[in-house]
Structures are given as structure tokens and as C-alpha cells.
Amino acid sequence: MPLKTNDPTKKTWLQVPANSDFPIQNIPFGVFLTRDDIITIGTRIGDYAIDLGALHQLGYFKGIPLTDDIFLQDTLNDFISDGKKTWRLVRNRISEIFDITNKSLQNNDDHKNIVLFTLDEIEMQLPVQIGDYTDFYSSKEHATNVGKMFRDPENALLPNWLHIPVGYHGRSSSIVPSGTAIRRPMGQTLPDGADLPVFGPSKLVDFELEMAFITTDANVLGEPIPVEDAENYIFGMVLFNDWSARDIQKWEYAPLGPFLAKNFASSISPWIVTLDALEPFRVPSPEQNPTPLPYLRHTGKRGFDISLEVSITPENGSKTVITRSNFKYMYWSMAQQLAHHTVNGCKVNSGDMMGSGTVSGPSPENYGSMLELTWRGENPLKLKDGSTRKFIEDNDTVTMIGYCEKANVRIGFGEVSTKLLPVFQPKQK
Amino acid sequence: MPLKTNDPTKKTWLQVPANSDFPIQNIPFGVFLTRDDIITIGTRIGDYAIDLGALHQLGYFKGIPLTDDIFLQDTLNDFISDGKKTWRLVRNRISEIFDITNKSLQNNDDHKNIVLFTLDEIEMQLPVQIGDYTDFYSSKEHATNVGKMFRDPENALLPNWLHIPVGYHGRSSSIVPSGTAIRRPMGQTLPDGADLPVFGPSKLVDFELEMAFITTDANVLGEPIPVEDAENYIFGMVLFNDWSARDIQKWEYAPLGPFLAKNFASSISPWIVTLDALEPFRVPSPEQNPTPLPYLRHTGKRGFDISLEVSITPENGSKTVITRSNFKYMYWSMAQQLAHHTVNGCKVNSGDMMGSGTVSGPSPENYGSMLELTWRGENPLKLKDGSTRKFIEDNDTVTMIGYCEKANVRIGFGEVSTKLLPVFQPKQK
């Protein structure tokens, strides 16, 4: 049965600009600091941020089993722990309150003054306290490109890749929301032809175009989540820039995987778009051949048609779109990733985040990293201001956007936009 | 200047059994559930657990800047955030209160009834909420043994190993305290000679004898911690069993490192022994040749002489000690690990945990895993009950202990003891 929050004919009494990522069918969740210096949980419709803590205090969620302070928190973890049934009840109610036919809040200026904020009055925060963060490697095109460049062009995919949604653990503490500038990392690298490593700024800082999903409490330690149940434990998705220092990675990664090449920073979009809002945009995933082992087999459409786009904006320059990709290219589904992650009994908590891996498509113009777009720097990209890029330069801003579109409804993620600052300079003593 | 809490002549009015790990010179920190079903932060002297929350409420920490509820919490994270100066003030005060010459608590039976618990009245919990967990690979002997077995015996160490304290990210959510039984994991493996993977219980479950350190908030994102400052951000250490499924690891680990082979469970001892308590047991680390890059160079004694021992106890069987090692064998110091981890600006928070990597010594009887002790199963170990082990079998209990000894003072870690249960069996529907 289709969810009523997804009804494409539904309209809201709030003004929603044409092509907004946030029509009344979206109703994402985020955390923001208000003009009164209060942190609250909220949603967004058009260019309004809506304070759910205040709405709850004013009685608009009456009848839904919620603790009094569930939205007066600085993370969504507890709300996410309440589970899918509660998420739906809350989104249904928000959808009703802002429906064009509903006058309760619409005609109450005092209440509107309390709950509605314009975007310049708020500052978006990290939406969850991320307990553990895992990054997958689930685009066949990306894995093939990397294999061609660094291993054997004839056997680009490693033997395990078609059997396992390959993944590894990342660092939660370095994940920041869109708008937080990051620094070029220092590190050890081995110059071409050298015998000994050197220390200095990474010369090959790259983005990785990814999406990530946020989980709820899914299991107890020792018990797996069956693949057909897995989506019930996925709260929603964000855009994800998995910053990477290619030269540091090359020297450090054998035999235990990437470490300092990744954990200097990772950036996410601040509004979590629920899996429910994405429901109308399901598509079949790419065919899997060989058929995966039984614990990874599922039925139905497990892909999502989400258009993705990355641009670079140099300091004082204009934006150049450098790639367009789509989440539907992912070979392994989110359900398969979560089932695989827990098949050994690994515990998954509310607020955990799992990245897709770089979302590269079939053509060079769909590649999800500078590494692939410039083929290791061999073919630099030309930007609108005439400058060229092999990798990301100091003071460049990398911006990713993502959205679904169908039946005149656009469900978008906003953006994750991050400026790369030069290396940290310690103060002189 | 030596710390007065380390004075080897100091005696307490509490009874301390001979050879106890917990004389008055230790004063570790932990979290426990009391007979009244209250979770509190505590310390341990001899076989008494001491409720620091109650001691604080009774006024025994007067004059030390602590919030009222600092010990009435279910993790040590906030206390650890208070920093090294506060840790020392609190340990000094505990040392005074329990000094044999101090009568304040000694002569107050009402207060003693409130703050003292025997060990059978409490249940130890995880001492910290671990935000991020990193595992290093810092024993040269272990890395060499693994290299000999799986790569080239003539070039066992990879080229980066002598330049980098190699590490990778692990999973915080699966870390459990001593006494929590774990399950044999299910997973994908590639049988010898096969082309296609199979799914089933891991056949090669192993322990890894490690120690781990717990950090306080150390930096802001983007700023490194200099190696000479790094120890100021280490609160203390625990024993650590980094459970590993060797067959799962072999199939999954290329190219991004171990994942499901590790994150089914990791076990720690519940009392955090402070770096201050370990101060008298410093020893020089092994000589480093080649000299590391400047950001990893430090002076002074950075190793710690900590004797380690692992035993296996089969169900209904007796304990067999299977290896004896020492933390002093570690090639890379904790200070070097933390400096390396943050040299790219990676943020380190209070309660983060960093494992040493398997602590193997120079002789086969010092090896820190079954993989090395039995050389991939080629030379099974004989247990006291006559049975043999290539790896760990269902219902075996693996117990690790660790202690320092000098001038008749023994500072120990207690134990991390974990039973391996058979694979999880889903309920029949």
C-alpha cells in the first residue's frame, strides 16, 4: 500500500519554491541551532526549518507515543531508536499539519512564530551521534576502475568482489556536516621511485561521491539480520563525501586497509531523507552474476533512482559541474550491505552510518572521484575559470547534490558542500 | 618527581591478599552495577570494589573541582574528559583515604557500609562508551610471523612497516567486558583449492593477545598531537582480546582490510589501570632502525614492562597456560601510535580506544595468537586434559592476565576471560 505521505497531489500551505528539494512529500529530519541558541530536532519544508521540539510542546503530536523531550535533543539517536512505526506516525502527522487544507497551525500566528524558522536563522548540526561508521565499496564500475589503475587491467576486480559487499571500518570522530571547512592532511608518502618515505602535505586530495544510510538498533551481539528484514532498520540516507588522500593511501594501505588517507575528514549533508520518502523511486539493482550466497539473496526492487552531481568552486570562482552519476548504479544494495555486516553477529546501533562506496556509473562522465575522472591525473579537468584540476586544490569548495524526480515530485537531499583549507600551521612558540 | 601514589612502602587499612593485582598503589577506574541495582564509577583495592559516587556524595572529595554527578554515571567518559590534573587529584585523595594511617573512613562503619562492596556483590560493566576504536599492528615479531606465513618468508615485513605504526579502524559496538560470552561467527570463506566461496561457521577462531589504551579529548579536527605530548592524552590501559576468524579474514581482507573477521566481538578487562600507576614500570622500547621520521621521534623510556599470559580452559576442564609474552616487546610506542593517528588532523575523543596489535615476543613460547603458536595449525597445542588445539573450540574459555612487578609492588590488570559459544541458532518459526 503506498504511503499517504508520498501522495504526489498533496500540497502545503507553506510556500515551496519551484524545484525545491523539500516539498511536503519529503519531510526529512535534522538537528539545528536556532536564533535563540537552542539546539532542536526539526524538519524542513521549502525554505522553512520547522522546530519539532516546539511543535511537540505545543501539543501537535498528541496521541503519538513520544517522550516529552524526544525532539529537544542534540542528536536524532533516541528518536531513531523509537523505530519505524514511530517515524511513520510522526511523518504522517507533520504531513497533516502542513497540508493546505489544515488550518490548525496555518491560522495560529503565535504558534507559527515559535515553530518556523527561515534558513538564515538556523545552523545545521550533525544529525546523529555516529557510533560506528562503515564504508562499503559497492560500485562495480568504481572497483573496476581502481583495479585497472592499480592492479591488473585484465583482472580488475578481485576474486571476492562479486561474492561479498566489501566494506571496512571508518572513523566516526572526523565526520562533519556540510559547511564545515576541512584541512589538507599532512602525512607519509613514498615518492615515485624513492626507497624511503617523506613527510609533508598530501598532494593528491580527492573527493569520493557517496551516499550513506543511518541505522536504528538492529540486533543484539551475536545475532544476524536477515536480508529481507534489513530495510526495516534503515532510517534514512544522506549525501556523503568520503575525502581521500590518494598518496597517503597508496603507501599505508597494505595489509590492513586505508587509515590516515581517510580519517582526516568525511562530510555529510545535514538532512536525513527517510527511506519512506524514497519509496516511489525504487528501481531494480543491476543483475548479480554470479548469484550471491543465500544470505544475500532478496526479492523486489532494492535500488533507488537518485541523481547525483558534483561541482568544484575555486576561491572567488564560479561553480563547474564535473560529474553526474546515479545511486541506481550500485551493484550491492543497502539491504545486502546490512545483512552482510551482521551475518557474523556484529551489533548495529541507532545512529550508525554506512557509506555506499564511491558511486561511479558506466561512462567516464559518471565517475565519482577525481582519481577516475582524471585517470590518476593523466587527463586534468578544465574548470569554467580556465584553470585545470588533477585533484582538489587548496580553497576549492566541493559540492555534491542529489535528488529523485517523478510525477512532478522532487525529493532532494540538499547538498554537502565543503571547502578544503591549506594544511594546519602550528602557532610559533 | 615520582608520584606519591606509587610509593612502594604505602600500606592500606583494607585487607589485600598476597599477590593481588590491586594494591593501594594501583587505584584503577571501572564502572559497576551494585547490589542495589545502581550503576556507579568505582575503584578497587584488594578484593573490595569502592563506590566513588557514594564517596563523593559523602564529601570525601571536598576541594577537588568535580561536578556532583561525575561518578554517578554509567561510563567514565566525562571524568576522563576532566583531564590528567583531575585524575591525579582524585587518585591522590583515594590513596590518602585508604592509607593505613588515615582514620576518617576506616573508623566510620556507616560510611564503609555504603562505599565498600565485595566482588560478588557487583557486576563489572564496560568502563567507557568507546566512540572510535583503532587497532594497531605494532609488534615486529607478530608482523614478521604473519608475513612469513602468508607472504614471502624472505621479505616478511612489508616496506611500510618500519616507517609507520600501521593501524586500521575497528568496530566499537562489538566490544564487551570480561565475562561476556561470545558466539562463533558465521561467514563466507574460500575452501582450499575451491573457486567459489561457501557459507558456514568459521573454523579458525583465534584470540589475539593485545593491550589497549583509552584516550581523553586530545585535539580539534585538523590539528595533530605532537609525539612528545601524546602521553598526556592517555588515561590508562586494559587487557584486550581481539578475537579473529582467520578463514573469514583470508577471503575478505583484500583490498580494504579485515572486517567481519574481527567485528563479531572484542573483549576487554574492565578496570582501566592509569598510566600514572604504570610509571614505575617504564623500560626502553626496542631500538628503531631506520630512525623514524621526525614527527615520530621521542626521547625517554616509552615501553612498559607488563607480563602477559594466556590460558585456555575447556568446558569442565582445567586451565592450561599456552603463552607468556610482555608488552615491552612492542616496536612502536603508544605515544608514536597516537601521534601518527593524529598527524593528519584526525580527531581523538574521550573514551576512544586504541589496541596495540598482537603482542608477540621473540620466542615461539611468547607468541600472541593460536595462528602463530600452532603455525597455522601445523603444530597443535596440547592441553592439560590431553586434548589438542589448532584454534579455539566451542565452549573454550580464553583468559588473559597482565601485571607489572617491582620492589614488592604488583600492579595488575585483573583478567579478560571470555567463553566462545557455538554459532547462533535462529529460533524455528
Side-chain angles (χ1 to χ4, degrees):
Chain A
M1 199 181 66
L3 296 165
K4 59 185 173 183
T5 44
N6 292 334
D7 177 0
T9 65
K10 199 178 228 316
K11 296 216 179 311
T12 174
W13 51 267
L14 281 171
Q15 202 196 326
V16 178
N19 268 322
S20 171
D21 280 351
F22 302 99
I24 192 169
Q25 289 82 3
N26 193 337
I27 313 181
F29 292 93
V31 173
F32 55 82
L33 186 71
T34 71
R35 59 196 168 212
D36 311 312
D37 250 3
I38 290 168
I39 286 189
T40 186
I41 287 171
T43 187
R44 178 172 168 179
I45 296 178
D47 289 341
Y48 290 97
I50 296 158
D51 180 344
L52 295 180
L55 261 188
H56 190 22
Q57 284 185 313
L58 294 169
Y60 285 87
F61 292 112
K62 210 177 287 176
I64 301 176
L66 295 168
T67 56
D68 288 345
D69 63 349
I70 192 70
F71 297 124
L72 296 172
Q73 309 209 12
D74 49 14
T75 71
L76 278 156
N77 294 55
D78 284 353
F79 174 63
I80 294 173
S81 274
D82 283 347
K84 188 169 180 169
K85 197 175 156 190
T86 302
W87 314 334
R88 283 192 173 165
L89 289 171
V90 168
R91 288 184 71 252
N92 284 344
R93 183 66 58 85
I94 295 169
S95 181
E96 283 166 21
I97 296 168
F98 292 93
D99 189 281
I100 197 159
T101 65
N102 188 316
K103 305 291 177 189
S104 54
L105 179 61
Q106 191 178 169
N107 289 352
N108 189 327
D109 286 339
D110 289 346
H111 285 187
K112 279 198 285 189
N113 276 336
I114 294 170
V115 305
L116 296 180
F117 293 82
T118 55
L119 297 181
D120 57 0
E121 293 175 313
I122 64 161
E123 196 180 298
M124 295 304 295
Q125 311 290 306
L126 265 194
V128 279
Q129 183 179 358
I130 299 164
D132 280 294
Y133 145 53
T134 293
D135 199 27
F136 287 93
Y137 185 59
S138 289
S139 153
K140 190 173 172 185
E141 291 79 2
H142 173 68
T144 303
N145 287 336
V146 172
K148 279 184 189 168
M149 275 186 258
F150 295 108
R151 285 182 297 267
D152 175 6
E154 302 305 309
N155 292 290
L157 281 184
L158 285 174
N160 59 10
W161 199 92
L162 292 168
H163 301 281
I164 291 180
V166 170
Y168 68 112
H169 300 118
R171 179 97 192 162
S172 307
S173 68
S174 300
I175 299 174
V176 294
S178 179
T180 302
I182 64 164
R183 290 209 171 270
R184 177 178 299 272
M186 303 286 288
Q188 275 195 42
T189 57
L190 188 70
D192 285 343
D195 288 331
L196 290 175
V198 297
F199 180 74
S202 166
K203 292 176 178 154
L204 308 180
V205 174
D206 200 354
F207 66 85
E208 289 192 331
L209 169 61
E210 301 197 18
M211 298 203 68
F213 66 86
I214 310 287
T215 62
T216 185
D217 311 278
N219 62 343
V220 298
L221 187 68
E223 300 190 10
I225 303 171
V227 66
E228 289 288 1
D229 288 354
E231 283 183 359
N232 291 323
Y233 300 100
I234 298 177
F235 176 64
M237 297 178 71
V238 292
L239 301 167
F240 179 45
N241 183 348
D242 182 24
W243 290 98
S244 301
R246 302 296 178 193
D247 42 358
I248 294 174
Q249 186 171 346
K250 194 175 171 191
W251 172 233
E252 76 173 356
Y253 91 104
L256 299 177
F259 183 53
L260 300 190
K262 296 284 187 173
N263 65 20
F264 61 98
S266 319
S267 308
I268 64 173
S269 58
W271 292 106
I272 305 178
V273 176
T274 63
L275 222 56
D276 276 351
L278 299 170
E279 203 54 44
F281 308 97
R282 284 185 183 271
V283 290
S285 298
E287 199 192 340
Q288 296 187 318
N289 186 5
T291 303
L293 283 161
Y295 80 94
L296 292 171
R297 285 179 207 159
H298 54 24
T299 55
K301 296 176 182 172
R302 303 299 182 140
F304 291 87
D305 183 0
I306 305 172
S307 298
L308 300 168
E309 199 177 289
V310 184
S311 58
I312 296 177
T313 311
E315 197 163 39
N316 307 317
S318 60
K319 189 174 278 198
T320 305
V321 175
I322 55 163
T323 188
R324 291 187 173 85
S325 188
N326 195 303
F327 189 68
K328 72 183 177 192
Y329 298 134
M330 301 313 290
Y331 186 87
W332 294 103
S333 72
M334 294 184 283
Q336 289 174 321
Q337 290 168 341
L338 190 52
H340 180 67
H341 202 318
T342 60
V343 75
N344 67 346
C346 178
K347 184 162 166 41
V348 169
N349 290 315
S350 173
D352 288 350
M353 186 178 113
M354 305 199 183
S356 57
T358 305
V359 186
S360 289
S363 306
E365 55 274 26
N366 314 132
Y367 290 169
S369 63
M370 294 298 279
L371 180 72
E372 296 164 270
L373 288 163
T374 70
W375 210 256
R376 268 187 299 192
E378 289 165 23
N379 312 310
L381 295 180
K382 197 158 185 179
L383 304 188
K384 277 187 187 159
D385 67 1
S387 65
T388 58
R389 290 291 181 281
K390 294 179 176 179
F391 287 90
I392 304 303
E393 297 191 359
D394 285 353
N395 300 307
D396 281 354
T397 296
V398 174
T399 304
M400 301 176 173
I401 65 166
Y403 57 92
C404 312
E405 243 168 349
K406 196 179 188 178
N408 288 323
V409 173
R410 173 182 169 121
I411 301 289
F413 288 79
E415 65 175 26
V416 53
S417 187
T418 315
K419 186 172 182 175
L420 176 67
L421 300 175
V423 291
F424 173 72
Q425 299 288 353
K427 287 191 194 99
Q428 299 298 322
K429 283 192 180 164
Chain B
M1 199 180 68
L3 295 165
K4 59 185 173 183
T5 44
N6 292 334
D7 177 359
T9 65
K10 200 178 228 318
K11 296 215 178 314
T12 175
W13 49 266
L14 282 171
Q15 202 196 328
V16 178
N19 269 324
S20 171
D21 279 351
F22 301 99
I24 192 168
Q25 289 83 0
N26 192 337
I27 313 179
F29 292 94
V31 173
F32 55 82
L33 187 70
T34 71
R35 59 195 168 213
D36 310 312
D37 249 2
I38 290 168
I39 287 191
T40 186
I41 287 171
T43 187
R44 178 171 170 181
I45 297 179
D47 288 342
Y48 290 97
I50 298 159
D51 181 344
L52 296 181
L55 260 190
H56 189 23
Q57 284 186 311
L58 293 170
Y60 285 88
F61 292 112
K62 208 177 290 177
I64 302 176
L66 295 168
T67 57
D68 288 346
D69 64 348
I70 192 71
F71 297 124
L72 297 171
Q73 310 210 10
D74 49 14
T75 71
L76 277 156
N77 296 54
D78 284 353
F79 174 64
I80 295 174
S81 275
D82 283 346
K84 188 168 180 171
K85 197 175 155 188
T86 302
W87 314 334
R88 284 192 172 165
L89 289 171
V90 167
R91 287 184 73 251
N92 284 344
R93 183 66 59 85
I94 295 169
S95 180
E96 283 166 23
I97 297 167
F98 292 93
D99 189 282
I100 198 160
T101 64
N102 190 315
K103 306 291 176 189
S104 55
L105 179 61
Q106 191 178 168
N107 289 352
N108 189 327
D109 285 340
D110 289 348
H111 284 189
K112 279 198 285 190
N113 277 335
I114 295 171
V115 304
L116 295 180
F117 293 83
T118 55
L119 298 180
D120 58 359
E121 293 176 313
I122 64 162
E123 197 180 296
M124 296 304 296
Q125 312 291 305
L126 264 193
V128 279
Q129 182 178 359
I130 300 165
D132 280 294
Y133 146 52
T134 293
D135 199 28
F136 286 93
Y137 185 59
S138 289
S139 152
K140 189 174 172 184
E141 290 80 1
H142 173 67
T144 303
N145 287 337
V146 172
K148 279 184 189 168
M149 276 184 258
F150 295 108
R151 284 182 297 267
D152 175 5
E154 302 304 310
N155 292 288
L157 282 185
L158 286 173
N160 59 11
W161 200 93
L162 291 169
H163 300 281
I164 291 179
V166 170
Y168 68 112
H169 300 119
R171 179 96 189 162
S172 307
S173 70
S174 300
I175 299 175
V176 295
S178 179
T180 303
I182 65 163
R183 289 207 173 270
R184 179 179 295 274
M186 303 286 288
Q188 276 195 41
T189 56
L190 188 71
D192 284 343
D195 288 332
L196 290 175
V198 298
F199 181 74
S202 166
K203 292 177 180 155
L204 308 180
V205 174
D206 200 355
F207 66 85
E208 290 194 330
L209 169 61
E210 300 197 20
M211 300 204 66
F213 66 87
I214 310 288
T215 62
T216 184
D217 312 278
N219 62 342
V220 298
L221 187 67
E223 301 190 9
I225 302 172
V227 67
E228 289 288 2
D229 288 354
E231 284 183 359
N232 291 323
Y233 301 100
I234 299 177
F235 176 63
M237 298 178 72
V238 293
L239 300 166
F240 179 44
N241 183 348
D242 181 24
W243 290 97
S244 301
R246 302 295 178 194
D247 43 357
I248 295 174
Q249 185 171 348
K250 193 175 171 192
W251 172 232
E252 76 173 357
Y253 91 103
L256 299 177
F259 183 51
L260 299 190
K262 297 283 188 172
N263 65 20
F264 61 100
S266 319
S267 308
I268 63 172
S269 57
W271 292 106
I272 305 178
V273 176
T274 62
L275 222 54
D276 276 351
L278 298 170
E279 202 55 43
F281 307 97
R282 284 185 182 269
V283 288
S285 299
E287 199 191 339
Q288 296 187 317
N289 185 5
T291 303
L293 282 162
Y295 80 94
L296 292 171
R297 286 181 206 158
H298 53 25
T299 55
K301 296 177 183 173
R302 302 299 182 139
F304 290 87
D305 182 1
I306 305 172
S307 298
L308 300 168
E309 198 178 288
V310 184
S311 58
I312 296 179
T313 310
E315 197 163 39
N316 307 318
S318 60
K319 188 174 280 199
T320 305
V321 175
I322 55 164
T323 187
R324 291 185 172 86
S325 188
N326 194 303
F327 189 68
K328 72 183 177 190
Y329 298 134
M330 301 311 290
Y331 186 86
W332 294 103
S333 71
M334 295 185 281
Q336 289 174 321
Q337 290 168 340
L338 190 51
H340 180 67
H341 203 317
T342 60
V343 75
N344 67 346
C346 178
K347 184 162 163 44
V348 169
N349 290 316
S350 174
D352 288 350
M353 187 178 110
M354 305 200 182
S356 57
T358 305
V359 185
S360 289
S363 305
E365 55 273 27
N366 315 131
Y367 290 169
S369 64
M370 294 298 279
L371 180 72
E372 295 164 271
L373 288 164
T374 70
W375 211 256
R376 269 186 302 193
E378 289 166 23
N379 311 309
L381 295 180
K382 197 157 186 180
L383 303 188
K384 279 188 185 159
D385 67 0
S387 65
T388 57
R389 291 291 182 282
K390 294 179 176 177
F391 287 90
I392 304 302
E393 297 192 357
D394 285 353
N395 300 308
D396 282 353
T397 296
V398 174
T399 303
M400 299 175 175
I401 64 166
Y403 57 92
C404 312
E405 242 168 350
K406 195 180 187 179
N408 288 321
V409 174
R410 173 181 167 121
I411 301 291
F413 288 80
E415 65 176 27
V416 54
S417 187
T418 316
K419 186 173 183 175
L420 177 67
L421 300 175
V423 292
F424 172 73
Q425 299 289 354
K427 288 190 193 101
Q428 300 297 324
K429 282 188 183 169

